[in-house]
Amino acid sequence: SQKIEQNSEALNIQEGKTATLTCNYTNYSPAYLQWYRQDPGRGPVFLLLIRENEKEKRKERLKVTFDTTLKQSLFHITASQPADSATYLCAPSSSSASKIIFGSGTRLSIRP
Amino acid sequence: KAGVTQTPRYLIKTRGQQVTLSCSPISGHRSVSWYQQTPGQGLQFLFEYFSETQRNKGNFPGRFSGRQFSNSRSEMNVSTLELGDSALYLCASSPHPTGPNTGELFFGEGSRLTVL
């Protein structure tokens, strides 16, 4: 069955450094992959979508890569700030998917 | 443009009761998906509705049901509540049904259900 793995351990990063989060998937080939941010007690908020024919996508301080050979996506936040502290969820989806499935998320903490 | 609205935001029920949660999608969005989020299981897909039809259902017992109205508003119902149903219930809307052209999902703030 389809499986999505994200760092289960919280990630603690010094302010100003680059935070890198990993999303690995197995047993399927996503046509696109989304990243969301979720703050405690709030709904997830969409950040970026990358398709299988795109190796990299950027938005301001965010960068996402998609390696279909490694079955992995990396999510980078450069010049991290305490306000970036949140849980980040990935959602790889196949073109035939009839539902969007999310990874369990990685909690990121940026310390001043 | 108003976002996705979920009501109620918080509610407390006792075992055996039933609950109905409501979701109003963004204007013009015809797809509504429901998710259950718990600390141990993360975001679990419940079902998706598009144009009043259920397109897909997650691996949940029949106590969990939903519907969508002609104005795209959706409700979900949980009958015979169990302690394990305590969770944050999130709905998300999208202009299109889940598929190859799916873009981002727009989530509401959720309904926090506590079952005692």
Side-chain angles (χ1 to χ4, degrees), chain B:
Chain B
K1 198 172 188 181
V4 177
T5 303
Q6 291 189 245
T7 57
R9 289 293 314 279
Y10 304 91
L11 63 167
I12 300 173
K13 294 286 186 178
T14 56
R15 280 181 298 174
Q17 287 187 310
Q18 72 165 14
V19 66
T20 298
L21 309 177
S22 177
C23 173
S24 293
I26 290 172
S27 177
H29 287 194
R30 293 162 61 195
S31 169
V32 173
S33 297
W34 287 90
Y35 290 85
Q36 180 196 66
Q37 188 172 38
T38 58
Q41 297 295 318
L43 264 174
Q44 300 290 308
F45 174 81
L46 280 159
F47 24 66
E48 180 193 5
Y49 287 88
F50 181 79
S51 293
E52 302 179 67
T53 301
Q54 187 181 92
R55 295 188 69 245
N56 199 359
K57 191 177 193 307
N59 189 24
F60 280 84
R63 301 185 296 107
F64 291 80
S65 63
R67 59 178 175 168
Q68 186 179 36
F69 302 95
S70 58
N71 62 357
S72 294
R73 189 177 72 85
S74 177
E75 288 181 349
M76 67 162 283
N77 183 277
V78 188
S79 62
T80 319
L81 285 166
E82 301 176 358
L83 295 179
D85 297 332
S86 295
L88 180 66
Y89 289 88
L90 292 158
C91 91
S93 77
S94 171
H96 311 289
T98 300
N101 297 316
T102 297
E104 64 182 282
L105 293 178
F106 296 81
F107 282 86
E109 298 289 38
S111 292
R112 170 76 63 185
L113 170 66
T114 301
V115 182
L116 302 177

